[in-house]
């Protein structure tokens, strides 16, 4: 592992997480990447997808089972990494999920929708960061990233709560056809605050910390399918992977402690 930066990515078996692995494999810099996946079978599928890139790269990828809603799983993943390499240079809290469907459909189940969204997106990132922090601060140049969303900005929500293509609320009750995404949005807004707390906690240890807001990309987040999102104007998920690579490789160091976007900084 000598000379290779150690990168641990949660939720890296698909979507932006997998695209991040690909972007790092295509970099001129060598990495030792731990590909975190909730299930071993999904990790195996991701490794098969990476086969051609792995044949050409100086970097390595090792799959690791980690479910960010399971503390035992998080602890086991950290213990494995410590036994293999003894430290982490870059921790990327990428695992995320959306459980909102539609306002009317979710209304009788809002507590579960919100609790699951916060468990994965916020509590999962909090526990993972806490467990991996001792490994992170052993690095000579540690970096800590959290994957947030353009839907998390309070300023942006005040000006325009939903994207132009989404249905707007109509008067009366129930709010038929409305997709509020309240659980996901509030969780990602909470994640932004979580990032700021870790920026403060680990600043003295030399850890550079960011949130990454990759933009509206065609992933399977929320189970709607990439094709549906593409039809609504979503971009290629590879854009998200490349943005994260830029942060990992120091191209956005001027924006430490902020929410980084493709072309600037997202307002709070």
């Amino acid at each position: 592992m000598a000379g290779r930066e150690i990168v641990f990515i949660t939720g890296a078996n698909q979507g932006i997480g997998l695209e991040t692995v690909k972007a790092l494999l295509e970099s001129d810099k060598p990495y030792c990447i731990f590909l975190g996946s909730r299930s071993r079978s999904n990790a195996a599928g991701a490794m098969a997808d990476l086969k051609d890139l792995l044949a050409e790269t100086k970097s390595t990828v090792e799959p690791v089972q980690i479910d960010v809603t399971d503390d035992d799983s998080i602890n086991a993943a950290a213990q494995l990494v410590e036994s293999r390499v003894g430290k982490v240079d870059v921790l990327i809290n990428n695992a995320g999920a959306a459980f909102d469907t539609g306002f009317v459909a979710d209304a009788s189940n809002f507590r579960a929708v919100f609790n699951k969204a916060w468990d994965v997106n916020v509590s999962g990132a909090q526990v993972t960061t806490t467990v991996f922090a001792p490994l992170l601060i052993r690095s000579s140049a540690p970096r800590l990233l959290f994957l947030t969303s353009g839907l998390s900005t309070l300023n942006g929500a005040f000006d325009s709560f939903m994207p132009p293509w989404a249905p707007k609320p109509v008067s009366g009750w129930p709010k038929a056809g409305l997709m509020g995404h309240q659980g996901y949005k509030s969780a990602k807004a909470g994640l932004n605050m979580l990032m700021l707390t870790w920026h403060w906690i680990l600043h003295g240890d030399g850890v550079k910390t960011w949130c990454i807001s990759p933009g509206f990309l065609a992933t399977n987040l929320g189970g709607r399918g990439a094709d549906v999102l593409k039809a609504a104007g979503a971009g290629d998920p590879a854009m998200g992977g490349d943005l994260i690579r830029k942060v990992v490789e120091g191209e956005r160091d001027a924006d430490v402690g902020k929410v980084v976007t493709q072309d600037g900084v997202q307002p709070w």
Side-chain angles (χ1 to χ4, degrees), residues 3 19 28 84 91 98 102 109 120 143 163 170 188 203-204 231 240 255:
E19 293 299 332
D28 292 333
R84 293 278 201 279
L91 175 61
N109 196 39
V120 175
R143 293 171 182 267
V170 296
K188 287 301 187 180
H203 180 74
D255 299 323

Side-chain angles (χ1 to χ4, degrees), residues 2-14:
R4 295 175 179 166
E5 285 196 6
I6 312 300
V7 181
F8 191 97
I9 312 174
T10 64
N13 60 281
Q14 65 177 340

